[in-house]
Amino acid sequence: MKKKIVVFFTSFILFVAAAILCTVYLDPFFHYHSPLNNYYYVLDNERSQNIGIAGKFEYDSIITGTSLTEHYRSSEFDSIFGTDSVKLPFAGATFYETAELVRTSFETGHNLKIVFRSLDMNHLTDDKEWVRKDLGVYPQYLYNHNIFDDYQYVCNIDIFKDYLIPMLKKRFVEKIPGGHTSFDDYVYGEYESGDLISEREPLPIADEQKELSEEEMTSLRENVEYNIISLAKDHPETTFIYFIPPYGIILWRDYAVNGDLHKMFETLRISAEMMLKCDNIKLYSFADMTEYTTDISLYQDEFHYKNELNSVILQSISENRQLLTVDNYEEYFDMLEEYYTGYDYEKLIKENK
Amino acid sequence: MLFNSFIFILVFLPLTLSGYFFINRYSNKAAQILLFVMSLVFYGYNNPSYVFIIVGSIIANYILARYIAKEEKIRYRRVLLIVGLIFNIAIIGYFKYLSFIKWNVNYFFGTDFVINSVALPLGISFYTIQQISFLVDAYNDRKMTYSLREYALFVTFFPQLVAGPIVYHDELIPQYRDESKRKINYENLLAGIIWFILGLAKKVFIADCLGNGVSWGHENLEALSAIDAWILSFAYTFQIYFDFSGYSDMACGIAKMFNFSLPQNFNSPYKSLSIADFWKRWHMSLTRFLTRYIYIPLGGNRKGNLKTIFNIMVVFTVSGIWHGANYTFILWGILNGVLSIINRYTGRFAERIPKFIKWSVNFLTINFLWLLFGAKGLKEFAVMIKKMLSLNTHELAVSSEMLKSFNSYIRPDILMAMAFAICIFLPNNYVREKRMTYPAIVGAAALWVLCLLTLNRVSIFLYFNF
């Protein structure tokens, strides 16, 4: 019977070792090494795979940000800017999360030409180290250098079921050549026109438009300094391109009705003031493209717009249009605030109901 | 602490086993103390405050039992027993039923008692009735030869502490004293490990996956189609069996590693042909407790038909109440009682009915009763029944979202078919011939690794704010 116990535990150890070795060898999340040439890697999990891609892939530029950067085509970006980019968005990301990606990229020896990021105004006043643990179980083991918590990666049933087995099947059964999901297709989808009106009432804008609190001000400055400015200062050879998205009229309406409109512009002003002091930060804004922003058919919801606007953004940037500078940003935001404060939102809602 | 966790499987259990057998070479008493301490660690791992409650309960019940056993006058003995019963029922009443009682008082009497939810100490329903059985036996038998150490270990023995099987003191404590059990027995160890693995596999591969679908159903009740409702009702029927019996298998397996034997809790209940048969196979340790300490003292079936019917209804109503503080449980218990009574008096007419028909009717009845048991309230139960009854052959498209919600390791339809086949065609783990051939051993090791892999998942991020 002792022999059977030995056989049992030996088998157990061997099976565990096999599981670990299999995961380490194929490494679908690129935690240990870059992709193997003979295997096809499906890219479909931002928070699990982005950090690995940032560290282990070969590229010279990064497209990152929130879901507003998911639907860019890397190929389009590369053809315009002459780069070899990876697209690493995080849906609902904080600036800390995307900054960590960029830091990892630099730390692993990448010489970046361009870092292209969305400047999401609703995340600017986040705590500088906030991570979206409210969206799911964060795979912290992929973000640290603690080898002991890697057991959550190398002994993980979903890794086997959803990644390793399909990879082996692709290689040995379907004979699919090595490679990975293109960055054009990675988390790519089409935003469609959404219903932005039926659940909104024609309400007037709030009489009192709030100011940023002291706490929000501090948080904003720390967040911008730590997750935007410091990256640029530490890497003067890299161009950091930020864009303020063409936020739709409905989003501005919601802020105005809730009394947050002025706060958002203050947030943008202060951020721009800080960012424009860096020579290698270029800040573009598309919030004044009212031919788009007031067309609600272009928006799936208050944040997300149709993919065609991404091409408009890239083309504009390549032609250096919509660029904010030290000289024009204050006037720009004043104009913008005046426009969106004076807009007839009630008429918009009534006419579209 | 959970059985299905790394800390338990790879740290706690090996440490406790090796410590227990090592110390037992020198002192059985010391080994029992170690086991008791480790049982408290197991129990209080996630909430240390629970330890104070169980330890307090143990000391109070032990002292009471000693007084009951010593007391010569039956009148005073009875008083002490009643005090003991009230003490135990009051504790469980406070933690488990107070909010429910307050709600009912507010509802029926228009009062305005504040209902604060009180966290239910783990396993309190189980160790309470275990200790009640001890007090009653002390009253009846008047034997009190156990030390506090042995009694404490009987109540807290960690494999059965949280969810049974409900053990009697005279089943477990003699085993603690058995000299032949002090030394490690490799056959028991291996058999126990394999038993534990099979229980763990039942839970993580079947019960938990079915439970995902069931949870999705609760959250999307209104969106369920008739066929979705039927599928989820069966999913719950299988979930509750594999979860509970899986836990019992793990408990029995762990106990076996220590050379101890726990009573059988499930005997393939979904093979039953009647409700009476079902209750001889489902949660058997609870059934025998209720029979021994409620049904028989009330007179059982020895005092005429009317009294028998009354006794059966009392037993099942108590069972319903014991299961939870909600009208769904109480109604579930009552319905089981009614059906048991009908079965009792019409059973002989059913003898000629083909087995398959008897089985089908019984299985569907059990399924219906579990629907009530698992509903969050009577309203939800009514909604589900209405949906199930609206089934028509033109609308048999199953919701793909529902199927996805199972998040299972194999296709959900295969999972359900497998669950069904295991319940109906295979022997259960308690009676299964425990063959320990080399292929079986290697297979068990592989299954154990697969079970451990399920403890780590890749999270799917769901976001609503951008």
Side-chain angles (χ1 to χ4, degrees):
Chain A
M1 191 48 64
K2 268 191 192 175
K3 194 177 167 193
K4 289 186 176 176
I5 297 266
V6 170
V7 166
F8 174 80
F9 282 108
T10 306
S11 304
F12 172 73
I13 289 166
L14 287 174
F15 283 127
V16 169
I20 292 171
L21 285 170
C22 196
T23 309
V24 171
Y25 177 68
L26 292 176
D27 197 11
F29 291 171
F30 321 110
H31 189 46
Y32 302 111
H33 57 76
S34 46
L36 300 171
N37 292 332
N38 295 332
Y39 290 88
Y40 188 86
Y41 291 80
V42 170
L43 306 182
D44 62 359
N45 192 318
E46 292 170 342
R47 276 175 174 83
S48 289
Q49 291 178 308
N50 279 2
I51 196 72
I53 295 168
K56 305 288 187 310
F57 275 48
E58 299 283 335
Y59 55 89
D60 65 16
S61 296
I62 295 179
I63 301 166
T64 188
T66 61
S67 49
L68 295 179
T69 55
E70 281 180 339
H71 300 178
Y72 280 96
R73 297 274 196 200
S74 269
S75 57
E76 187 182 359
F77 183 90
D78 291 338
S79 69
I80 290 172
F81 296 102
T83 51
D84 176 19
S85 66
V86 290
K87 185 180 73 180
L88 304 175
F90 283 128
T94 61
F95 282 97
Y96 176 79
E97 288 178 295
T98 49
E100 280 304 285
L101 266 183
V102 177
R103 287 191 185 105
T104 298
S105 177
F106 285 123
E107 281 165 14
T108 49
H110 290 87
N111 297 316
L112 296 179
K113 282 186 189 168
I114 295 173
V115 172
F116 182 80
R117 290 170 87 181
S118 53
L119 192 77
D120 301 81
M121 60 182 180
N122 55 313
H123 280 296
L124 282 167
T125 52
D126 288 347
D127 180 272
K128 69 177 188 201
E129 288 178 329
W130 189 38
V131 161
R132 296 305 302 272
K133 291 181 180 175
D134 55 318
L135 300 180
V137 177
Y138 220 84
Q140 211 56 50
Y141 49 90
L142 297 172
Y143 287 81
N144 61 32
H145 300 294
N146 180 4
I147 199 162
F148 294 106
D149 65 5
D150 281 6
Y151 74 91
Q152 295 172 79
Y153 176 47
V154 298
C155 294
N156 189 312
I157 192 98
D158 287 331
I159 302 281
F160 270 84
K161 178 171 70 80
D162 298 332
Y163 294 93
L164 300 185
I165 291 173
M167 280 173 75
L168 291 168
K169 197 175 161 192
K170 280 184 167 67
R171 164 104 198 261
F172 295 107
V173 174
E174 296 166 21
K175 310 280 188 203
I176 290 174
H180 58 78
T181 309
S182 75
F183 288 104
D184 278 4
D185 296 331
Y186 181 34
V187 296
Y188 186 85
E190 297 283 343
Y191 287 127
E192 305 293 338
S193 296
D195 175 14
L196 281 79
I197 300 294
S198 62
E199 289 191 5
R200 288 177 167 86
E201 296 300 322
L203 301 171
I205 78 166
D207 289 331
E208 192 200 334
Q209 294 293 324
K210 295 167 226 163
E211 299 278 344
L212 278 172
S213 67
E214 286 238 10
E215 207 181 313
E216 284 169 329
M217 192 80 80
T218 307
S219 203
L220 167 65
R221 290 191 179 279
E222 284 178 358
N223 192 19
V224 172
E225 181 59 44
Y226 185 64
N227 293 310
I228 297 176
I229 307 292
S230 68
L231 290 174
K233 280 184 180 166
D234 291 345
H235 300 280
E237 72 284 1
T238 301
T239 302
F240 290 80
I241 298 177
Y242 290 85
F243 70 95
I244 297 169
Y247 290 117
I249 194 69
I250 289 295
L251 179 64
W252 296 116
R253 174 257 174 207
D254 290 348
Y255 283 134
V257 164
N258 293 328
D260 292 324
L261 192 63
H262 178 68
K263 258 171 74 166
M264 299 320 294
F265 283 106
E266 275 306 286
T267 301
L268 288 169
R269 275 192 193 87
I270 293 168
S271 304
E273 181 199 5
M274 293 173 72
M275 291 165 72
L276 292 172
K277 286 177 182 163
C278 291
D279 293 335
N280 58 335
I281 289 181
K282 289 191 165 187
L283 176 58
Y284 296 83
S285 176
F286 300 89
D288 64 329
M289 292 184 111
T290 54
E291 68 273 36
Y292 300 118
T293 64
T294 56
D295 181 356
I296 61 173
S297 70
L298 290 173
Y299 292 81
Q300 179 165 299
D301 52 51
E302 57 269 31
F303 285 99
H304 297 95
Y305 41 85
K306 282 187 172 180
N307 297 6
E308 62 210 59
L309 292 187
N310 294 333
S311 300
V312 170
I313 289 168
L314 287 178
Q315 202 55 47
S316 300
I317 291 174
S318 73
E319 292 165 7
N320 225 24
R321 286 184 283 117
Q322 307 295 128
L323 177 69
L324 294 182
T325 65
V326 175
D327 300 319
N328 71 10
Y329 81 93
E330 283 190 17
E331 191 187 330
Y332 175 81
F333 287 121
D334 287 344
M335 175 271 300
L336 214 57
E337 184 170 359
E338 192 183 329
Y339 179 83
Y340 285 114
T341 307
Y343 195 87
D344 193 347
Y345 297 108
E346 288 181 74
K347 184 180 170 193
L348 170 74
I349 303 294
K350 281 180 192 163
E351 280 179 355
N352 287 286
K353 267 214 184 275
Chain B
M1 202 183 288
L2 299 174
F3 284 164
N4 54 324
S5 64
F6 282 113
I7 187 85
F8 177 80
I9 293 169
L10 299 179
V11 179
F12 179 88
L13 187 57
L15 263 177
T16 307
L17 269 169
S18 45
Y20 174 75
F21 284 116
F22 175 75
I23 292 175
N24 227 334
R25 282 189 198 178
Y26 307 103
S27 166
N28 191 13
K29 288 182 185 174
Q32 287 174 16
I33 291 170
L34 171 78
L35 206 45
F36 167 68
V37 168
M38 294 308 282
S39 295
L40 290 183
V41 168
F42 172 87
Y43 185 65
Y45 182 76
N46 290 113
N47 195 330
S49 63
Y50 290 166
V51 170
F52 296 106
I53 300 168
I54 196 172
V55 167
S57 174
I58 287 168
I59 293 171
N61 278 290
Y62 182 76
I63 292 171
L64 259 170
R66 282 198 85 97
Y67 277 110
I68 289 171
K70 267 195 216 169
E71 181 53 58
E72 295 287 339
K73 293 183 182 161
I74 190 163
R75 196 160 34 124
Y76 295 145
R77 268 209 335 269
R78 195 174 293 146
V79 167
L80 286 170
L81 175 64
I82 290 169
V83 165
L85 293 177
I86 291 172
F87 168 71
N88 283 290
I89 292 169
I91 292 178
I92 195 175
Y94 170 76
F95 285 106
K96 198 166 176 176
Y97 301 106
L98 187 60
S99 301
F100 180 64
I101 293 168
K102 278 185 185 176
W103 183 90
N104 278 282
V105 170
N106 286 345
Y107 184 82
F108 289 109
F109 298 104
T111 50
D112 200 19
F113 290 111
V114 171
I115 300 171
N116 300 314
S117 60
V118 181
L120 189 64
L122 223 48
I124 193 169
S125 303
F126 290 90
Y127 69 70
T128 295
I129 61 176
Q130 235 167 275
Q131 295 194 92
I132 285 175
S133 79
F134 183 72
L135 288 177
V136 173
D137 287 350
Y139 172 83
N140 287 326
D141 302 334
R142 302 194 58 214
K143 286 179 212 160
M144 189 56 194
T145 60
Y146 307 136
S147 64
L148 177 59
R149 178 192 74 250
E150 289 170 320
Y151 176 71
L153 184 55
F154 150 65
V155 176
T156 60
F157 184 46
F158 71 89
Q160 53 83 47
L161 173 56
V162 171
I166 299 162
V167 205
Y168 295 145
H169 54 90
D170 54 2
E171 283 177 321
L172 202 48
I173 296 179
Q175 294 188 66
Y176 297 155
R177 294 175 170 181
D178 189 341
E179 287 292 317
S180 68
K181 292 181 187 288
R182 287 178 59 185
K183 216 173 146 196
I184 191 166
N185 178 314
Y186 290 104
E187 190 168 342
N188 283 345
L189 179 67
L190 189 56
I193 289 172
I194 293 174
W195 202 349
F196 175 83
I197 291 167
L198 291 173
L200 182 61
K202 278 163 90 171
K203 180 163 169 49
V204 301
F205 288 116
I206 302 178
D208 287 352
C209 296
L210 294 174
N212 292 334
V214 169
S215 296
W216 182 91
H218 283 305
E219 287 158 22
N220 298 276
L221 192 61
E222 295 303 329
L224 295 179
S225 66
I227 190 73
D228 291 343
W230 272 102
I231 290 171
L232 289 177
S233 76
F234 286 121
Y236 184 68
T237 294
F238 292 124
Q239 179 205 350
I240 196 170
Y241 171 66
F242 281 97
D243 197 274
F244 203 176
S245 69
Y247 196 95
S248 292
D249 284 337
M250 286 192 271
C252 289
I254 295 166
K256 194 157 181 89
M257 294 180 211
F258 287 91
N259 297 331
F260 299 135
S261 177
L262 295 180
Q264 187 177 10
N265 222 4
F266 295 89
N267 186 18
S268 307
Y270 293 155
K271 291 180 184 174
S272 59
L273 302 178
S274 67
I275 286 292
D277 188 18
F278 175 77
W279 280 104
K280 287 177 190 158
R281 295 166 177 265
W282 179 276
H283 205 175
M284 294 157 67
S285 62
L286 177 68
T287 303
R288 69 175 191 170
F289 170 85
L290 294 171
T291 305
R292 182 160 148 175
Y293 293 101
I294 298 180
Y295 185 67
I296 289 173
L298 286 176
N301 60 358
R302 290 175 285 119
K303 297 194 174 175
N305 285 332
L306 223 51
K307 192 77 203 312
T308 303
I309 289 169
F310 175 78
N311 294 341
I312 291 172
M313 287 310 300
V314 167
V315 162
F316 278 102
T317 306
V318 167
S319 173
I321 294 169
W322 178 84
H323 276 90
N326 194 314
Y327 281 115
T328 50
F329 296 116
I330 296 170
L331 186 59
W332 170 83
I334 290 170
L335 283 175
N336 269 286
V338 168
L339 290 169
S340 293
I341 290 163
I342 293 171
N343 184 209
R344 183 184 177 83
Y345 292 103
T346 61
R348 64 179 186 277
F349 300 114
E351 276 164 24
R352 287 187 193 174
I353 297 172
K355 244 180 164 177
F356 176 71
I357 293 177
K358 279 199 283 196
W359 174 85
S360 303
V361 170
N362 191 52
F363 186 74
L364 285 171
T365 306
I366 293 165
N367 191 59
F368 161 79
L369 290 169
W370 281 138
L371 196 63
L372 177 60
F373 186 89
K376 289 190 176 159
L378 293 175
K379 197 175 166 191
E380 184 181 281
F381 172 66
V383 167
M384 278 293 279
I385 289 292
K386 199 173 164 189
K387 283 185 184 286
M388 287 165 76
L389 291 175
S390 69
L391 181 70
N392 70 69
T393 49
H394 300 298
E395 289 171 16
L396 293 177
V398 177
S399 154
S400 59
E401 232 185 286
M402 181 200 70
L403 291 177
K404 215 171 146 188
S405 73
F406 284 98
N407 198 18
S408 61
Y409 307 102
I410 54 176
R411 272 172 42 188
D413 53 343
I414 297 175
L415 176 67
M416 293 272 280
M418 207 171 84
F420 178 78
I422 292 171
C423 286
I424 305 304
F425 300 115
L426 294 185
N428 61 72
N429 286 325
Y430 204 94
V431 305
R432 180 183 62 81
E433 191 193 325
K434 289 162 180 78
R435 281 180 292 167
M436 286 191 282
T437 59
Y438 283 106
I441 289 166
V442 172
L447 185 60
W448 191 22
V449 171
L450 282 175
C451 289
L452 287 179
L453 292 185
T454 66
L455 298 181
N456 291 316
R457 304 296 304 262
V458 174
S459 186
I460 298 165
F461 271 57
L462 301 170
Y463 69 106
F464 307 101
N465 306 310
F466 311 103

